[in-house]
Amino acid sequence: MGRRILLTGLDTFWGGKVAAALEKNPEVEMILGMGTGEPSIGLERTEYVRAEQSYSLLERIVSSTEVDTIVHTFLVVDSTRTSGRDLHEVNVIGTMNLLAAAGAPGSSVRHVVVKSSTVVYGAGPKDPAWFAEDTPRSRPPRTRLERSLTEVETYVRDFADDNPDILVTVLRFANVLGASVETPISRNLARGMFPAVAGYDPQIQFVEEDDVVRCFELVVRERVPGVFNVAADGCLPWSQVARLAGAWRLRLPPLFTREAAAPLVRLNLLDLPPELEDLLRFGRGVDTTSLKGLGFRFDTTSAGTVELFARAGRLSQPVGDRVACHSYDSDLEAFFRHSPAVVRRRS
Amino acid sequence: MRRQFEALPAEPDPADARKDDVDAWGRSEHLRELVRKVGRFYYERWFRVEWEGLEKIPLTGGALLIANHGGAIPADAPMIMQGIETELGRPVYGLADHWFRTVPVLGTLWNRAGGIPAHPDNAHRLLHDDGQLVLAFPEGAKGPSKPRSERYQLRRFGRGGFVETAMRAGVPVVPIAVLGAEEAMPMLFKIPVLGKALGMPYVPVTINHLLLGPVLGTLVYLPAKFRFRVLDPVIFDVEPALERYPLSRVVKEADAIRQRVQDELCDMLAGRASVWFG
C-alpha cells in the first residue's frame, strides 16, 4: 500500500506547495489536505477538507482515512497578521489536538512532520554565531510567537517520547523568501522600505521557498526522524540584503525602536513584529550540518535567495499577478475532478 | 550539551551573490585593511611593537592565541592582530565580551574589524572547521579592570574554557606575554554605578583621563613600549571532539599556562629599563 498523507494548512503557501510536491511522488497513494480556507494553488489529486483543527474532528479524520503520515504545516510564524489569541489557538492548541489524534489508541500514524522556525532560538547578544539543533537559547522566550513555537516544540518532543514507534521530524526554517511566500520581511522588502536599527548591521540567513518544499518532500519520502535546521548556506549583513533587494533602509533609533516605528506600522508602511526587532540587532545563523548529512543540498545560498526574491519583485512590478503563476479556480477544479465529461485515464 | 562537528572542510560559498566582502562571521577585509592603515601609526611609531618568537605562531591551521590583558581600555588585542596580520599575512579573529554586540555602531565596527563574541561554539568553529587563528584573553574583563597597583599580576584564567576549546578543536594553544599595554592606559578607579547603568562590564577612570580629559583621554594612549613574547605552543595529547574533558586536566593545564605567562612577564619586567623606551 502506498503512503497516505494528511497535510494541515493546505490553504497556506506552505501546505499548498508541499502538497503539490508530494503529489508527484508515485509512492504517495493519497493526500488529504486540511485548511480553513480555499487552497490557493491548483492541485491534481489532493483531497481537500475545510475544517477547524478540533480534536474530535481530527481524530475522526485520522482514524477513518488511515493516514500513515501527518505533515503539519499550519503554524503561524507571522505575528503581525494574527492576534495573540489566534496565534495560541492555531499553533499550540492546533498542534496539541493534532498530536493527540495522531497518538490515539489504534492510530495508523507512523510519521509526523512538524514545521517550526529558527525563531525558537531567539536572537540575543549572548548567542553563538551559528545555532546547532541542540544549542539552547541564551535567554528565555521574549515574544508571543517565540513562546508559542517553543510550546509547540515541547508538545512535539513529549509526543516523540511517549510514542517511540512513531517517527517525529521537526524542521526549523530560517527566514523564507521567494516569489510567492509572504512574510513580514518580504512585505518590507516589497515596499522598498526596510526597517533597520541604527548602528546595527546583523548577519541574517535566508532560505529559498523551493528549497523549503524540497526539504519537506525529502523528509516525508525518506521518513527521517529528528530535528533539523533548514537554512541556506552563508549569512549576509542586513545592509547587503537591502542593497540586493533594492530597498531603502529606514534607520530606527536603537532606543524606543518600537515607539518610533509605531506610526508607520499603524499606517501599514512597515512591518515590525517583535521577533524582527531582536533579529535586526543581533541576527541569527543556524548550522545545517545534520540536514546536509541526509544528503540534502540547497540550490540557493542566502544571498542568492535575496537575489531571486528581488528578481521576482522586479518582474511583478510591471506585470503584477496577470502572469499568474498559480491560476486556480475552485469551480473549475471541481469540474475537472468530478464531472463525467472529463475523460479519466487510469494509469 | 554541545554538538560535535564532523571534520568537514570549510566550504566556499558557491555562486554567492555577495556584493561586498563581509564574511559569514561579519568580518570585512576592507575594514581590516583600513584599521591596519590607522593602526600602523600606533604599531610602528607610538607603541614601537617588538616581537620575540613570532615564528612560533603556526602559518597554517587553527591555533588559539592567548595573552594577558591589560590597560583600562586594552590596546593589546588590536596590536596583536595588527602584528600577526602584517607580519604573517594571516587573519586573526579576536574573541571578546558579547557586550560589544549590544552597542550600536561600535558593535558593528568591532565585528567588521574581526571581533567575535566569545562563545565556545564560535571558537570551536573558527578553530576546527575554518582553521583560523583565534585570539582570546582568558582573564576576560578581570584583566583590564584591575587597578594600576596590580598591573602584570595575572587574574584567574576563567574556568579554563580556553583549554577545553583547544582540546576539543584539536589545535595548539599559543601563549603570548604582553608587556606595555598596562602602562598605555593605567586604571585609577572604576565607577560601578555608571557601569551598571550603562550595562558595561566596567567604566574606568584612567591617568589618560586626568591628563587629557574625558574624550581625548579615552582615545589617546600613553606611548609605552610594547613587547610581545610568543611562548612555545602547548599541544594537548588528547583525543579531539570529545563532549567533555576531565576537569582536573583542564584546570591543571590552564594553571600551568597561566604560570608560564606570569613567569615570562616577570622575566620581561626584570629586563625592562624604561616603561617608555623598553
Side-chain angles (χ1 to χ4, degrees):
Chain A
M1 197 172 87
R3 305 281 298 272
R4 300 176 68 84
I5 298 174
L6 172 67
L7 188 135
T8 65
L10 188 69
D11 51 329
T12 65
F13 146 76
W14 295 80
K17 283 253 181 160
V18 172
L22 291 173
E23 278 184 343
K24 297 197 184 98
N25 184 350
E27 276 179 36
V28 175
E29 182 189 304
M30 186 279 293
I31 306 172
L32 172 63
M34 286 180 64
T36 49
E38 293 278 324
S40 52
I41 61 173
L43 294 162
E44 299 279 329
R45 59 193 181 99
T46 300
E47 294 295 323
Y48 168 63
V49 54
R50 186 169 179 160
E52 298 290 329
Q53 295 198 17
S54 69
Y55 172 73
S56 55
L57 211 114
L58 281 162
E59 205 265 338
R60 273 181 64 199
I61 291 176
V62 169
S63 64
S64 60
T65 55
E66 294 195 355
V67 289
D68 53 46
T69 304
I70 294 181
V71 181
H72 185 31
T73 72
F74 192 43
L75 286 150
V76 178
V77 289
D78 176 359
S79 61
T80 57
R81 293 290 188 272
T82 323
S83 72
R85 177 170 292 271
D86 285 352
L87 195 73
H88 180 75
E89 286 294 322
V90 168
N91 287 358
V92 181
I93 306 303
T95 308
M96 183 191 78
N97 285 335
L98 189 69
L99 293 176
S107 154
S108 53
V109 176
R110 287 294 154 262
H111 187 191
V112 177
V113 181
V114 180
K115 176 197 99 172
S116 182
S117 161
T118 55
V119 164
V120 295
Y121 297 116
K126 291 187 184 178
D127 290 351
W130 309 91
F131 278 98
E133 283 82 356
D134 55 5
T135 312
R137 292 179 61 100
S138 62
R139 54 184 182 189
R142 290 152 61 88
T143 69
R144 277 192 328 229
L145 178 66
E146 285 178 19
R147 273 196 297 274
S148 116
L149 286 179
T150 310
E151 260 182 87
V152 166
E153 288 214 358
T154 310
Y155 268 123
V156 175
R157 224 174 4 254
D158 291 350
F159 176 80
D161 286 346
D162 297 344
N163 299 276
D165 52 334
I166 300 182
L167 302 175
V168 177
T169 315
V170 176
L171 300 174
R172 291 182 183 149
F173 293 97
N175 307 296
V176 185
L177 274 185
S180 47
V181 64
E182 205 187 299
T183 69
I185 291 182
S186 79
R187 276 196 299 270
N188 281 319
L189 284 174
R191 280 192 207 103
M193 185 164 74
F194 207 55
V197 182
Y200 292 90
D201 195 10
Q203 302 279 97
I204 315 273
Q205 212 174 6
F206 291 95
V207 60
E208 223 279 324
E209 59 179 39
D210 291 335
D211 280 335
V212 165
V213 174
R214 281 177 45 238
C215 179
F216 262 113
E217 200 265 327
L218 174 88
V219 296
V220 171
R221 174 162 41 88
E222 303 293 335
R223 297 183 194 250
V224 261
V227 183
F228 299 98
N229 290 331
V230 188
D233 294 336
C235 267
L236 69 167
W238 203 235
S239 56
Q240 222 173 305
V241 175
R243 206 178 318 158
L244 286 173
W248 172 69
R249 271 187 301 159
L250 174 73
R251 288 169 180 82
L252 299 165
L255 294 172
F256 302 106
T257 313
R258 167 173 305 282
E259 287 74 9
L264 289 168
V265 172
R266 208 55 198 260
L267 290 169
N268 229 346
L269 293 170
L270 206 66
D271 276 83
L272 193 67
E275 302 77 46
L276 193 57
E277 266 182 64
D278 282 341
L279 193 71
L280 290 179
R281 282 188 171 80
F282 305 113
R284 187 192 309 122
V286 295
D287 175 68
T288 51
T289 314
S290 356
L291 187 67
K292 286 182 181 159
L294 302 177
F296 187 82
R297 290 291 172 271
F298 291 93
D299 282 346
T300 318
T301 61
S302 279
T305 303
V306 181
E307 285 254 289
L308 280 180
F309 174 79
R311 279 178 64 89
R314 285 194 289 266
L315 172 70
S316 75
Q317 259 176 9
V319 297
D321 280 339
R322 271 170 294 166
V323 189
C325 351
H326 33 73
S327 54
Y328 177 78
D329 187 290
S330 55
D331 290 342
L332 205 60
E333 209 60 31
F335 164 76
F336 280 126
R337 280 193 190 194
H338 305 297
S339 168
V342 175
V343 182
R344 290 184 176 77
R345 288 187 197 86
R346 296 241 163 245
S347 54
Chain B
M1 204 178 71
R2 66 183 316 291
R3 263 182 56 79
Q4 300 310 321
F5 306 106
E6 287 167 52
L8 284 173
E11 277 180 51
D13 290 335
D16 204 333
R18 257 192 264 241
K19 288 205 171 154
D20 61 30
D21 68 334
V22 178
D23 74 3
W25 294 100
R27 177 196 173 101
S28 153
E29 209 35 60
H30 287 159
L31 191 76
R32 269 313 302 167
E33 187 78 45
L34 199 72
V35 168
R36 281 198 294 269
K37 268 185 194 145
V38 178
R40 226 180 108 181
F41 168 76
Y42 268 109
Y43 187 79
E44 288 177 0
R45 299 286 161 80
W46 200 255
F47 296 132
R48 294 146 288 139
V49 176
E50 269 181 52
W51 285 86
E52 278 174 64
L54 191 62
E55 71 284 350
K56 291 174 187 165
I57 294 173
L59 293 175
T60 53
L64 181 57
L65 314 172
I66 64 116
N68 56 308
H69 212 17
I73 303 170
D76 41 18
M79 287 302 112
I80 292 174
M81 289 170 76
Q82 170 104 18
I84 294 173
E85 291 188 353
T86 49
E87 317 259 352
L88 301 182
R90 280 197 76 175
V92 182
Y93 289 80
L95 299 184
D97 197 286
H98 59 78
W99 167 78
F100 279 97
R101 246 180 133 175
T102 62
V103 190
V105 186
L106 175 69
T108 306
L109 285 173
W110 164 78
N111 183 222
R112 294 287 175 273
I116 308 287
H119 191 289
D121 285 6
N122 289 349
H124 182 82
R125 265 170 208 281
L126 280 165
L127 290 167
H128 179 266
D129 301 9
D130 298 358
Q132 299 285 6
L133 290 179
V134 175
L135 174 64
F137 297 92
E139 288 171 278
K142 296 190 296 307
S145 67
K146 62 185 183 284
R148 195 183 80 92
S149 56
E150 289 168 27
R151 60 190 183 278
Y152 297 116
Q153 295 175 31
L154 293 198
R155 288 297 191 247
R156 177 164 58 82
F157 268 18
R159 284 173 273 179
F162 73 102
V163 169
E164 217 172 344
T165 297
M167 285 177 166
R168 196 173 286 130
V171 299
V173 168
V174 185
I176 303 174
V178 177
L179 198 71
E182 300 267 22
E183 285 88 358
M185 195 172 278
M187 166 92 79
L188 286 174
F189 55 87
K190 288 176 278 188
I191 313 176
V193 183
L194 204 56
K196 200 159 251 178
L198 295 174
M200 287 168 68
Y202 60 93
V203 174
V205 173
T206 64
I207 291 184
N208 309 45
H209 288 138
L210 274 194
L211 296 174
L212 301 162
V215 178
L216 268 184
T218 306
L219 300 171
V220 179
Y221 289 92
L222 303 181
K225 169 82 177 174
F226 271 36
R227 281 184 192 282
F228 298 148
R229 185 182 285 179
V230 186
L231 315 186
D232 289 331
V234 186
I235 298 162
F236 304 107
D237 185 22
V238 291
E239 194 189 329
L242 291 186
E243 183 96 0
R244 283 238 285 277
Y245 290 89
L247 189 60
S248 55
R249 174 86 197 270
V250 170
V251 173
K252 197 181 94 186
E253 296 281 4
D255 261 6
I257 292 171
R258 178 175 172 274
Q259 197 54 53
R260 274 181 58 202
V261 176
Q262 182 71 73
D263 291 348
E264 290 295 329
L265 274 177
C266 291
D267 182 58
M268 288 162 88
L269 281 167
R272 179 169 75 168
S274 154
V275 170
W276 315 112
F277 304 106

